Amino acid sequence: MIVCRSAAELEQMRQAGRLVGEVLTELAAMVAPGVSTADLDALAEKRIAQAGATPAFKGYHGYPGTICASINEEVIHGIPSGRRLLREGDIISIDVGASLDGYFGDSAVTLPVGQVSEHAAKLLRVTEEALYKAIERARPGNRISDIGHAVQQHVEAYGCSVVREFVGHGIGQRMHEEPQVPNYGEPGRGPRLTEGMVLAIEPMVNAGKPAVKVLADGWTAVTRDGSLSAHFEHTVAVRAGEPWVLTAREVPVSARR
Ligand code: MF3
Ligand code: CO
């Protein structure tokens, strides 16, 4: 069942989403060579607690972190570690989820650490653009697969590839609700979008081939071919007029850098 949220519920989801956005903005400002992914995790945990909210990922199927921190060929679900230090030229996906007063927000960005290669910068740009093309399709009357189609079209036009094994999702009073939101496919398939649906749209894009595998830690997904991977995510409400990006940041992460 796909739940549609009332205007009052969407306001509450915006509060959760706003917090997630603020945490991401703060984490982005911390990203620099020498910082560990555990440092980022600790700040996120502190800020979420200070806001009276709860980390969404910690304890989810046993996941140990507040954030996911996925570097270079890591696609998603990288586990924060004090031994994992950022290095100049890396790219890092930071994924944050939290629940506030029973409603969830989920958002991710991929950031450059210092100066990165042209190749890496292009991957980040293409993936973020794909997210916004996808959000543009989150309108009443469209279908779920229109979202993934928009991602795939954009990404493949630039010679990158879309990860198939992981998908976006409905979100609300649980982090993962129906429907699944794949990042590929023919347009015009799947459930029709209606006002009040809330979707976490999250393209995962590889610079090389699409295949991924999960490491022995049981979480970290990496590209099989070792190519770089990027991930951007927003929690978005479908409504009349423009899609509402519930995790929108007042200060865009990229503008602060
Ligand atoms: N944004 C991811 C998702 O929507 C993060 C989940 S990490 C997990 O699935 F540990 F909680 F699974
Ligand atoms: Co998500």
Side-chain angles (χ1 to χ4, degrees):
M1 189 191 48
I2 303 176
V3 181
C4 289
R5 304 288 165 186
S6 67
E9 285 181 296
L10 293 182
E11 283 298 337
Q12 284 201 277
M13 290 196 71
R14 169 61 181 149
Q15 298 311 314
R18 184 193 304 278
L19 169 64
V20 166
E22 284 169 1
V23 173
L24 272 178
T25 299
E26 267 203 72
L27 295 177
M30 246 180 100
V31 164
V35 171
S36 80
T37 56
D39 295 335
L40 297 169
D41 193 70
L43 181 76
E45 183 156 7
K46 183 163 124 191
R47 286 290 181 261
I48 290 169
Q50 282 173 338
T54 308
F57 305 165
K58 199 163 197 158
Y60 183 87
H61 294 281
Y63 184 75
T66 291
I67 66 169
C68 299
S70 311
I71 299 172
N72 296 339
E73 78 288 354
E74 296 171 356
V75 181
I76 52 168
H77 299 169
I79 299 173
S81 161
R83 296 189 311 271
R84 194 71 196 273
L85 306 186
L86 300 181
R87 294 187 307 196
E88 177 88 19
D90 283 345
I91 58 171
I92 177 173
S93 151
I94 306 176
D95 192 346
V96 176
S99 65
L100 182 64
D101 300 327
Y103 290 90
F104 284 78
D106 189 3
S107 184
V109 292
T110 305
L111 298 165
V113 181
Q115 279 291 115
V116 300
S117 67
E118 279 290 313
H119 174 70
K122 175 193 144 194
L123 175 68
L124 300 189
R125 179 178 58 77
V126 168
T127 308
E128 188 167 23
E129 285 169 356
L131 171 60
Y132 285 98
K133 300 251 179 203
I135 290 172
E136 192 51 40
R137 305 305 300 157
R139 292 170 185 272
N142 285 350
R143 287 180 185 260
I144 280 291
S145 78
D146 295 338
I147 291 171
H149 182 70
V151 171
Q152 186 175 18
Q153 288 268 92
H154 187 70
V155 161
E156 292 181 354
Y158 287 93
C160 301
S161 62
V162 170
V163 171
R164 310 295 207 266
E165 288 88 339
F166 299 96
V167 297
H169 48 95
I171 179 169
Q173 285 161 298
R174 287 176 297 130
M175 176 167 64
H176 292 148
E177 297 187 355
E178 286 178 47
Q180 293 198 349
V181 185
N183 293 301
Y184 61 94
E186 295 298 315
R189 309 278 165 85
R192 207 174 278 286
L193 304 181
T194 61
E195 271 185 63
M197 281 186 191
V198 183
L199 304 172
I201 302 175
E202 49 180 319
M204 289 147 267
V205 175
N206 298 347
K209 297 216 161 63
V212 302
K213 65 178 179 188
V214 175
L215 298 184
D217 64 16
W219 283 103
T220 314
V222 300
T223 58
R224 276 190 183 268
D225 62 6
S227 67
L228 293 178
S229 187
H231 174 217
F232 284 82
E233 176 177 24
H234 269 310
T235 298
V236 180
V238 176
R239 58 173 186 179
E242 293 297 306
W244 188 8
V245 181
L246 298 174
T247 44
R249 296 173 294 267
E250 313 271 307
V251 188
V253 165
S254 47
R256 290 177 54 113
R257 302 182 55 82

